[in-house]
C-alpha cells in the first residue's frame, strides 16, 4: 500500500497512543513488582510486557522506515493481546487493567476505519475471554453473561465512536481547507484587481488601520505628502486650486475619509508648488449586513490626462472660433454695402439681404458664445455693487424679448444686497439664464427673476414653468455642449453652452450654482455669490482651473 496523505496524521496519532499505552504499562509493572510479589516470576505477565515492548519498538521502526499505513494496525493488535495476557495473570488483584484496552480500541477506530472497528471487537473478545478460559463460574449466571457481552460491545463501541469522531473531524478539516483555498483565491483575485485598476484604491478597517493600498494610491499619496498608515496626519503638499493656499487639514480628503460616512468627489492639487498634479478623491464607508461598520474605501484618480485633454480642447475651440469670426465680420460688412446699394423698389432683394444679415448676426452670436466657452479662466474685475440694482438694470431688455416669445417675465429684487462681483460677467450669467428660461417655456408660461439675500450669500434665482429636464439630463446639465432630450425633440435652438458658462463664472466668484428641474413642470437655477465684506481688491482675480 503506497504512502498516502493521511499516513502522517495516522502515524502521529499512533505514536502518541502507543507512548501513552507504554507509560501506562510501566506504571502497571511498577505496581506489580512492588505490590504483587507472586506475579514477578509469572511467565504470562512477562509475556504481556514483552508484547508491549515489541509493539512500541515495531511502531517506531515502521515510522522511521515510512512503511505502508496498514502495517501500523499490527501495533494495537499486539497491545490488545498484551492487555489480555496481563489481565489473565493479574485478574484477581488488578481487574481494572481492562481499562488499558481503551487506547488500542480508539486507535483502531480512528486510524483504520471500519476494519479497525471489527479488529477492535475481536481484540475485546480476546481481552475479556482469555482470563476466564476454563472457568465455568464466569458464565454460570445471566448477569455474568450479560456483563461479558457488554464488555465486548464497549470495546467495539469505543472503536466505532472514535471512528465517527475522527471522520467528522476530517470532514471539517477538509471543509476548512476548501474554505481556506477559496479565501486564498479571493485574496489573490482581490490583489490582482487592486493592482490592475486604473485608479488608486486604499482600504481601512473600522478603526482606521490601513488594510490594503495599490501602488498607484501609494504614489499619489506620497506625492501629496500623505502617510497612508496615519490618515489622521495632514498631507504636507496638498493645495487648493490656485496652487498657493494649502488645503486646511480638516478639509483634506484622506483625513476626512475615516471619520465621515461619505466624501463625495473632491479635487485636490498635490505635489510641489511648481509641479501640481490634479487628483480626484472620493471615499465611502463599508457596512456589514447588520449595519456595523466594516471599514472605509478611498479611491483617487490622477486627472492630469483629463486636464490636458480639456486644455487642448479649449485651445482648439478658441482657434476655430477665432478663424470663424474673421470671415463672419467680412460677410456682415459686405451685407452693409449690399444693403446700401440695393434698389428700394426691389423688395425681394431687400428681404433676402435682411435674412442674410439676421442669420449672419445669429451665427456671430454663436461664435461669440463659443469664444466665451473656450475662455475657461475668465478674469474678473470685481466691484462692490447692489446685486438687485445691477440685475434690475439688465431685466428691461428681457421684458421685451420675453414678450416677443409670448412669455411673461416677473421680477423681484431685495433691497441692499451688496456683492463683490464683476458686473460684465454677472450680465452674462443673467443673459444665459433668462435665455434658457425663455426658450424652454411655451407661450403663455411664466419666467421669474429674483435677487435675495440668503444667509451669507447673494442669490440670483431664475425659475420658469417650461418643459423641464429629466433626472438623467439633470446630472450633466452644466456640461458643455450638453442638451437634454426635450430640447432635441422640441428642436429648440442652442449649443448647450449657457449653463456651463454660468457655472464657470459663478465659481470664479467663489460662489455656487444649483439646479432643480422636473419634466413638464419647470426649472429653477440658483446662482449664489458671496456678500461683499470690507474693501475689494482692484486687481483681476483669476478663476479656479
Amino acid at each position: 500500500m503506497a504512502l498516502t496523505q493521511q499516513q502522517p496524521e495516522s502515524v502521529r496519532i499512533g505514536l502518541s497512543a502507543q507512548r501513552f499505552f507504554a507509560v501506562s504499562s510501566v506504571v502497571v509493572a511498577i505496581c506489580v513488582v512492588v505490590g504483587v510479589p507472586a506475579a514477578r516470576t509469572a511467565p504470562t505477565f512477562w509475556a504481556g510486557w514483552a508484547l508491549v515492548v515489541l509493539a512500541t519498538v515495531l511502531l517506531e521502526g515502521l515510522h522511521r522506515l515510512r512503511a505502508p499505513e496498514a502495517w501500523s494496525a499490527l501495533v494495537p493488535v499486539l497491545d490488545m493481546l498484551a492487555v489480555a495476557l496481563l489481565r489473565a495473570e493479574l485478574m484477581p488483584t488488578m481487574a481494572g487493567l481492562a481499562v488499558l484496552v481503551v487506547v488500542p480500541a480508539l486507535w483502531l477506530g480512528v486510524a483504520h476505519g471500519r476494519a479497525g472497528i471489527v479488529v477492535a471487537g475481536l481484540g475485546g473478545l480476546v481481552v475479556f475471554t482469555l482470563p476466564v478460559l476454563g472457568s465455568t463460574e464466569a458464565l454460570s449466571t445471566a448477569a455474568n453473561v450479560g456483563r461479558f457481552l457488554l464488555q465486548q460491545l464497549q470495546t467495539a463501541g469505543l472503536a466505532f465512536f472514535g471512528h465517527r469522531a475522527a471522520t467528522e473531524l476530517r470532514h471539517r478539516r477538509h471543509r476548512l481547507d476548501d474554505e481556506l483555498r477559496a479565501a486564498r483565491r479571493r485574496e489573490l483575485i482581490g490583489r490582482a484587481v487592486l493592482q490592475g485598476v486604473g485608479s488608486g484604491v486604499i482600504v481601512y478597517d473600522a478603526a482606521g488601520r490601513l488594510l490594503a493600498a495599490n501602488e498607484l494610491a501609494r504614489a499619489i499619496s506620497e506625492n501629496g505628502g500623505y502617510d497612508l498608515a496615519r490618515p489622521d496626519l495632514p498631507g504636507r503638499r496638498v493645495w487648493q486650486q490656485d496652487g498657493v493656499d494649502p488645503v486646511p487639514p480638516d478639509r483634506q480628503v484622506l483625513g476626512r475619509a475615516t471619520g465621515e460616512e461619505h466624501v463625495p468627489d473632491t479635487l485636490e492639487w498635490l505635489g510641489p508648488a511648481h509641479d501640481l498634479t490634479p487628483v480626484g478623491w472620493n471615499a465611502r464607508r463599508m457596512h456589514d449586513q447588520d449595519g456595523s461598520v466594516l471599514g472605509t474605501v478611498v479611491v483617487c484618480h490622477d486627472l492630469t490626462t483629463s486636464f490636458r485633454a480639456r486644455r487642448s480642447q479649449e485651445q482648439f475651440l478658441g482657434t476655430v472660433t477665432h478663424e470663424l469670426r474673421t470671415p463672419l465680420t467680412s460677410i456682415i460688412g459686405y451685407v452693409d454695402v449690399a444693403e446700401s446699394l440695393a434698389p428700394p423698389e426691389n423688395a425681394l432683394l431687400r428681404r433676402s439681404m435682411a435674412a442674410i444679415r439676421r442669420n449672419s448676426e445669429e451665427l456671430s452670436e454663436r461664435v461669440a458664445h463659443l469664444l466665451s466657452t473656450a475662455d475657461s479662466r475668465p478674469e474678473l474685475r470685481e466691484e462692490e455693487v447692489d446685486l438687485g440694482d445691477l440685475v434690475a438694470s439688465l431685466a428691461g431688455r428681457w421684458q421685451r424679448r420675453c414678450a416677443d416669445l409670448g412669455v411673461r417675465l416677473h421680477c423681484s429684487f431685495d433691497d441692499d444686497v451688496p456683492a463683490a462681483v464683476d458686473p460684465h460677467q454677472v450680465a452674462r450669467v443673467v443673459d444665459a439664464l433668462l435665455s434658457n428660461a425663455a426658450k424652454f417655456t411655451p407661450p403663455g408660461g411664466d419666467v421669474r427673476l429674483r435677487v435675495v439675500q440668503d444667509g451669507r450669500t447673494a442669490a440670483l434665482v431664475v425659475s420658469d414653468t417650461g418643459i423641464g429636464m429629466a433626472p438623467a439630463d439633470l446630472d450633466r446639465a452644466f456640461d458643455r455642449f450638453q442638451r437634454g432630450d426635450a430640447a432635441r425633440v422640441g428642436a429648440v435652438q442652442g449649443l448647450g453652452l449657457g449653463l456651463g458658462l454660468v457655472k464657470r463664472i459663478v465659481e470664479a466668484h467663489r460662489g455656487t450654482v444649483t439646479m432643480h428641474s422636473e419634466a413638464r413642470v419647470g426649472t429653477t437655477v440658483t446662482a449664489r455669490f458671496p456678500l461683499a465684506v470690507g474693501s475689494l481688491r482692484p486687481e483681476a482675480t483669476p478663476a479656479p482651473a
Side-chain angles (χ1 to χ4, degrees):
M1 182 177 178
L3 188 65
T4 65
Q5 293 182 350
Q6 295 296 331
Q7 187 176 17
E9 179 185 1
S10 63
V11 169
R12 287 195 300 270
I13 293 173
L15 286 171
S16 300
Q18 184 60 29
R19 288 164 184 168
F20 177 79
F21 183 82
V23 171
S24 301
S25 300
V26 169
V27 173
V28 171
I30 293 173
C31 293
V32 169
V33 171
V34 174
V36 189
R40 295 173 187 170
T41 58
T44 307
F45 172 77
W46 292 112
W49 237 99
L51 286 177
V52 173
V53 175
L54 175 63
T56 304
V57 173
L58 176 62
L59 183 61
E60 294 289 345
L62 293 174
H63 172 57
R64 294 181 182 278
L65 295 174
R66 301 182 66 83
E69 183 179 3
W71 287 96
S72 64
L74 290 174
V75 178
V77 171
L78 293 175
D79 287 342
M80 297 187 85
L81 184 56
V83 173
L85 292 173
L86 292 173
R87 191 166 179 271
E89 181 62 35
L90 302 172
M91 181 70 176
T93 56
M94 299 183 69
L97 280 175
V99 75
L100 290 177
V101 80
V102 171
V103 176
L106 285 175
W107 178 2
L108 286 167
V110 170
H112 300 283
R114 296 177 181 177
I117 296 173
V118 174
V119 173
L122 296 175
L125 182 63
V126 173
V127 169
F128 294 103
T129 301
L130 187 60
V132 297
L133 284 178
S135 174
T136 58
E137 182 181 354
L139 302 177
S140 60
T141 65
N144 289 341
V145 173
R147 184 167 57 252
F148 176 77
L149 294 176
L150 183 60
Q151 290 170 337
Q152 321 307 313
L153 291 175
Q154 285 177 339
T155 307
L158 285 171
F160 172 74
F161 287 111
H163 167 67
R164 290 296 301 272
T167 302
E168 179 63 25
L169 288 175
R170 290 190 187 105
H171 289 166
R172 291 186 180 183
R173 187 195 64 189
H174 292 158
R175 287 195 296 269
L176 286 175
D177 289 343
D178 293 340
E179 291 174 2
L180 287 174
R181 283 193 292 269
R184 179 60 177 170
R185 286 196 296 269
R186 288 193 295 269
E187 180 185 359
L188 293 175
I189 292 172
R191 288 183 179 179
V193 171
L194 197 65
Q195 298 297 337
V197 295
S199 302
V201 181
I202 311 165
V203 183
Y204 293 99
D205 65 9
R209 293 185 292 265
L210 179 65
L211 295 180
N214 60 6
E215 294 301 325
L216 183 55
R218 294 184 184 278
I220 291 175
S221 302
E222 183 179 352
N223 189 35
Y226 281 119
D227 182 356
L228 291 184
R230 292 291 306 276
D232 55 311
L233 298 179
R236 301 184 305 276
R237 297 184 295 275
V238 185
W239 311 94
Q240 299 184 25
Q241 294 183 8
D242 58 8
V244 176
D245 299 323
V247 177
D250 61 335
R251 300 307 304 162
Q252 292 183 7
V253 174
L254 204 57
R256 296 163 52 197
T258 55
E260 298 183 16
E261 184 69 26
H262 173 52
V263 179
D265 291 339
T266 304
L267 178 64
E268 289 183 345
W269 294 81
L270 307 183
H274 64 277
D275 185 20
L276 297 180
T277 300
V279 176
W281 297 86
N282 63 75
R284 186 177 294 276
R285 279 184 178 171
M286 302 177 292
H287 294 273
D288 202 350
Q289 293 180 349
D290 60 359
S292 60
V293 177
L294 295 176
T296 301
V297 175
V298 184
V299 180
C300 53
H301 316 269
D302 186 338
L303 302 178
T304 302
T305 302
S306 300
F307 271 68
R308 287 175 179 171
R310 180 177 176 180
R311 190 177 300 115
S312 299
Q313 181 190 51
E314 290 167 352
Q315 291 174 349
F316 172 77
L317 191 60
T319 301
V320 170
T321 49
H322 275 294
E323 293 299 321
L324 288 174
R325 203 170 196 178
T326 301
L328 269 176
T329 303
S330 178
I331 290 172
I332 293 174
Y334 278 107
V335 168
D336 291 338
V337 174
E339 284 182 333
S340 64
L341 297 177
E345 63 276 7
N346 193 335
L348 176 61
L349 178 58
R350 287 194 169 274
R351 286 197 301 273
S352 300
M353 297 303 298
I356 294 174
R357 172 180 290 279
R358 184 172 61 253
N359 286 284
S360 298
E361 290 176 348
E362 183 177 345
L363 185 58
S364 179
E365 182 179 354
R366 295 190 180 182
V367 169
H369 285 167
L370 287 172
L371 278 173
S372 66
T373 300
D375 181 15
S376 63
R377 299 174 62 89
E379 291 190 352
L380 306 181
R381 298 190 177 276
E382 295 181 352
E383 302 175 14
E384 184 173 351
V385 300
D386 187 312
L387 189 62
D389 293 343
L390 173 62
V391 176
S393 67
L394 303 170
R397 54 195 175 99
W398 277 101
Q399 290 283 5
R400 294 188 297 272
R401 294 187 184 182
C402 289
D404 292 341
L405 295 172
V407 176
R408 295 180 294 271
L409 176 61
H410 308 276
C411 299
S412 173
F413 310 110
D414 285 359
D415 295 330
D416 192 18
V417 185
V421 296
D422 183 328
H424 172 67
Q425 299 293 355
V426 171
R428 297 173 72 186
V429 170
V430 172
D431 287 344
L433 293 179
L434 288 178
S435 175
N436 271 2
K439 284 191 300 184
F440 292 104
T441 300
D446 297 293
V447 174
R448 299 186 183 278
L449 173 64
R450 295 183 294 143
V451 173
V452 297
Q453 181 171 333
D454 184 9
R456 300 179 62 183
T457 63
L460 168 65
V461 185
V462 176
S463 57
D464 61 62
T465 58
I467 59 177
M469 300 179 69
D473 295 328
L474 192 60
D475 292 338
R476 301 183 57 192
F478 293 99
D479 293 351
R480 288 184 296 180
F481 306 107
Q482 177 64 26
R483 305 189 72 215
D485 292 337
R488 292 190 292 269
V489 173
V492 178
Q493 294 185 351
L495 297 174
L497 299 173
L499 290 177
L501 175 65
V502 168
K503 182 178 176 67
R504 288 197 306 281
I505 293 176
V506 173
E507 290 183 348
H509 284 86
R510 302 171 301 282
T512 60
V513 57
T514 57
M515 171 184 284
H516 174 75
S517 185
E518 188 174 348
R520 297 183 296 278
V521 173
T523 301
T524 298
V525 180
T526 303
R528 291 182 172 85
F529 300 90
L531 290 175
V533 178
S535 60
L536 300 177
R537 292 177 295 175
E539 69 274 9
T541 304

